[in-house]
Amino acid sequence: MAKIVTTREVRRFITSCLSSAGGHKVQCEDLADILVAADTRGHYSHGLNRLEMYCDDYTRGTTDRDALPTIEKETAATALVNGNNCLGATVGKFCMNIAIQKCKEAGVGVVTAKNSNHYGIAGYYGLMAKQAGLIGISMTNTSPLQVPTRGKVCTLGTNPISVIAPAQSDDYYALDMATTTVAVGKIEVARRKGEELPAGWGCDSEGIEATKPEAVLNGGGLLPLGGREISGGYKGYGLALMVELFCGILAGATWGPHIRSWQVPDETKVADLGQFFMALDPGVFGPGFEERLQQLMDQHRALDPITGQDGVLVPGDPERTHEKLCEESGGIPYHEAFIRDMGFLAEKMKVEPMMMLD
């Protein structure tokens, strides 16, 4: 049975844990914004599920608790940012704000970041651009978790891509996806719930498709988007390399297999993730962008669905549905096993546990 926690209480818990680990106030608040947004949008793998990892990065000293990002070089439409090893959420918000500002002046703003850390859901940064009436694009490389097609060793991350664009009224297109079939957080959630994995999610240490979460997490890896080669996994692998091109290579950050491990991090090695942010003004191109995008989405939503399904969706619809659920419930629903784990984290960080609604 789901337990409901208000967003205010979730924020309180996040900032309390990070502050207990010594986090800078700005970093704590930035991360709270992004983790709450992730859970509210139904991306539980990237919300509170990740909080202990951020706290551990602080306490181990692999993330700088007091740093803030800086601009190393820039032009009218571009910038290279040094994250200075601070929390990825702070780097991401800093970069997208620069991209938005440059876009308003030049029609496009492109920012890359190096020396960053895990920045949460990629879609959050595109939503920032959407709020300004712009198209927002964001990508990041990550620790190696993906086994390339025909390989059996992890050499690439989940390397997510997000593209978000405004339509009419409050509607919008919102692609936010990993270049693996799923993010590693979904494997962790399945393990927590004691569930087996669908085909195409991951493989064992020999590169053989696996359905046990433990086989994937203990020496195995995630499969590229599409799963095995026969079902198009090589396309997901190609997309993951593309993200690496825009993030690790273009930004001058660490890339691919050289990024520190996720499961067993080297406490002496910083992540040095590379990230990419773009804001694009649709008004400098063809006329009627928002109206035409609305028509495109609505035509697909109006299609007859297959038997057993309520309707054809467009990217962003499931997230909007979950946001509505949270609004109607008065908070975010969490699995009771997850609430138990957050109780353990509260003890570890010596903070008050989350309070649930009656």
Side-chain angles (χ1 to χ4, degrees):
M1 181 177 178
K3 304 293 184 181
I4 306 298
V5 185
T6 66
T7 55
R8 181 176 181 178
E9 176 63 4
V10 176
R11 284 187 61 88
R12 193 276 309 166
F13 182 68
I14 294 168
T15 55
S16 295
C17 287
L18 293 169
S19 295
S20 178
H24 188 291
K25 182 180 179 181
V26 171
Q27 293 192 33
C28 296
E29 292 177 351
D30 286 341
L31 184 62
D33 289 342
I34 289 169
L35 298 191
V36 168
D39 284 349
T40 301
R41 292 176 66 78
H43 291 285
Y44 287 106
S45 60
H46 281 61
L48 273 182
N49 184 58
R50 284 276 159 264
L51 179 57
E52 186 170 12
M53 175 198 76
Y54 295 115
C55 291
D56 288 345
D57 279 348
Y58 273 159
T59 55
R60 283 194 300 257
T62 49
T63 296
D64 192 326
R65 291 175 278 199
D66 299 312
L68 292 174
T70 54
I71 298 174
E72 284 204 348
K73 61 180 179 179
E74 62 180 324
T75 69
T78 67
L80 170 63
V81 167
N82 188 333
N84 294 315
N85 195 35
C86 75
L87 210 60
T90 297
V91 178
K93 292 178 78 171
F94 180 81
C95 289
M96 185 51 88
N97 278 325
I98 294 172
I100 291 169
Q101 179 182 352
K102 289 183 178 296
C103 178
K104 289 180 176 180
E105 298 171 355
V108 62
V110 180
V111 180
T112 63
K114 62 180 180 179
N115 204 11
S116 187
N117 286 285
H118 191 279
Y119 76 170
I121 54 170
Y124 183 89
Y125 308 100
L127 288 170
M128 290 175 61
K130 189 271 297 184
Q131 288 297 107
L134 307 172
I135 300 170
I137 300 174
S138 183
M139 306 177 232
T140 181
N141 63 12
T142 77
S143 296
L145 293 163
Q146 178 179 166
V147 176
T149 301
R150 301 189 182 184
K152 56 182 180 180
V153 176
C154 295
T155 59
L156 294 165
T158 55
N159 291 14
I161 303 168
S162 176
V163 180
I164 297 185
Q168 291 184 309
S169 301
D170 292 327
D171 206 356
Y172 57 94
Y173 168 92
L175 176 71
D176 186 358
M177 57 172 251
T179 54
T180 49
T181 302
V182 293
V184 69
K186 290 192 176 181
I187 309 291
E188 294 168 335
V189 169
R191 179 175 61 180
R192 183 177 285 121
K193 292 181 178 180
E195 298 174 348
E196 289 202 347
L197 307 176
W201 280 26
C203 64
D204 62 20
S205 58
E206 293 300 314
I208 305 301
E209 193 171 39
T211 58
K212 300 290 185 182
E214 293 76 15
V216 176
L217 296 171
N218 300 325
L222 301 175
L223 288 173
L225 179 64
R228 296 184 300 158
E229 183 173 3
I230 194 171
S231 57
Y234 60 91
K235 298 177 183 178
Y237 167 42
L239 286 173
L241 284 173
M242 181 200 74
V243 172
E244 200 63 76
L245 181 157
F246 281 110
C247 295
I249 306 301
L250 188 63
T254 303
W255 49 271
H258 304 291
I259 300 174
R260 73 180 186 193
S261 170
W262 178 280
Q263 285 95 341
V264 187
D266 182 346
E267 297 184 14
T268 66
K269 187 176 182 180
V270 300
D272 187 25
L273 298 185
Q275 289 154 355
F276 178 91
F277 307 85
M278 176 185 284
L280 189 65
D281 183 358
V284 303
F285 298 98
F289 174 83
E290 291 84 356
E291 180 181 1
R292 287 158 59 82
L293 176 58
Q294 190 68 54
Q295 292 173 354
L296 173 66
M297 295 192 299
D298 287 346
Q299 283 183 342
H300 283 83
R301 288 167 174 155
L303 294 171
D304 289 333
I306 61 174
T307 302
Q309 295 296 328
D310 294 333
V312 175
L313 305 178
V314 299
D317 284 348
E319 288 84 352
R320 276 184 287 271
T321 298
H322 198 270
E323 286 177 331
K324 184 178 180 181
L325 170 66
C326 291
E327 182 179 353
E328 293 173 348
S329 302
I332 304 171
Y334 291 104
H335 192 279
E336 55 188 16
F338 184 76
I339 294 292
R340 178 200 63 212
D341 288 349
M342 290 301 101
F344 295 148
L345 179 59
E347 292 179 13
K348 175 180 174 179
M349 303 310 298
K350 297 181 173 57
V351 303
E352 289 292 320
M354 287 193 301
M355 298 297 293
M356 294 164 283
L357 293 178
D358 294 332

